[in-house]
Amino acid sequence: MPRISAATIGEHRTLTRDRILQAVSRLSRVHGIDAISMTDVAGEAGITRTVLYNYFPDKAALLLAFTEQVTQYFIDSYEQELPGGASPADRLRAFVRLQLAGLLAHPHPGAADLGAALGPDAYQQLAEHVAPMQRILVEILESGVESGDFRVLDVQATARMILAVVGAERVPLISGSVTVDRAEELVSEFVLRAIGGLA
């Protein structure tokens, strides 16, 4: 039986799983998620490929788990950073800033490329994992419409468009041609003007 690095087997499995996902995070910053292999992840995590496959049977399962972790981190960060009583516009700016920071911290291919790499079933699961972020954005837009700050014809469609505008900054951010601060300024102003959130 392999040696365990915690008080119980359950704790050992949790620590190993965390180590694997931390390895994905580190590698994604250097190479991008699409270029990472299971061999790369095992090496970075300091485990064998056999051990890695005991936790994640393939790259799609690994990316789904990583995406779920990143999504939860985003939600926690959004809740912590949002000042009490923030206006819908301030909430939207915070959302945009954290999305852009996430794109830079965890570089990944665009939706179409990721869909092609993962296949339709895994891509659908991926979409379900990131749905909580879209729900936060929808709630921000609804609160802005309610308060009269935003003019939005279709909240769900507008949320998709805003996420597309954020995603358009992925390549400039990763290439270093724009900073997170500058991208936040550009995206926030564009979006707030589009929905009537700026005079």
Side-chain angles (χ1 to χ4, degrees), residues 81-197:
E81 289 195 19
L82 194 66
S87 69
D90 286 342
R91 292 175 65 204
L92 185 58
R93 284 189 188 94
F95 181 92
V96 167
R97 182 178 63 255
L98 287 169
Q99 285 284 303
L100 292 166
L103 286 176
L104 188 59
H106 306 289
H108 58 276
D113 294 336
L114 204 51
L118 293 179
D121 292 342
Y123 185 68
Q124 181 56 43
Q125 286 180 275
L126 186 68
E128 290 166 9
H129 281 314
V130 299
M133 286 193 284
Q134 181 149 346
R135 281 197 294 274
I136 289 173
L137 181 52
V138 165
E139 288 167 10
I140 293 169
L141 293 173
E142 287 174 343
S143 72
V145 170
E146 231 175 81
S147 67
D149 293 340
F150 299 160
R151 292 187 302 276
V152 175
L153 293 176
D154 182 319
V155 170
Q156 294 288 342
T158 302
R160 290 193 300 272
M161 290 178 206
I162 291 171
L163 290 172
V165 172
V166 171
E169 291 301 299
R170 180 177 61 85
V171 172
L173 278 170
I174 294 169
S175 69
S177 63
V178 68
T179 64
V180 170
D181 288 345
R182 180 60 175 156
E184 182 212 334
E185 181 184 8
L186 293 169
V187 172
S188 293
E189 180 163 343
F190 178 84
V191 167
L192 286 169
R193 284 193 185 283
I195 61 176

Side-chain angles (χ1 to χ4, degrees), residues 22 24-33 36 104-107:
Q22 287 167 11
V24 174
S25 180
R26 287 191 299 272
L27 289 168
S28 72
R29 289 189 196 105
V30 179
H31 306 292
I33 286 176
I36 298 170
L104 188 59
H106 306 289

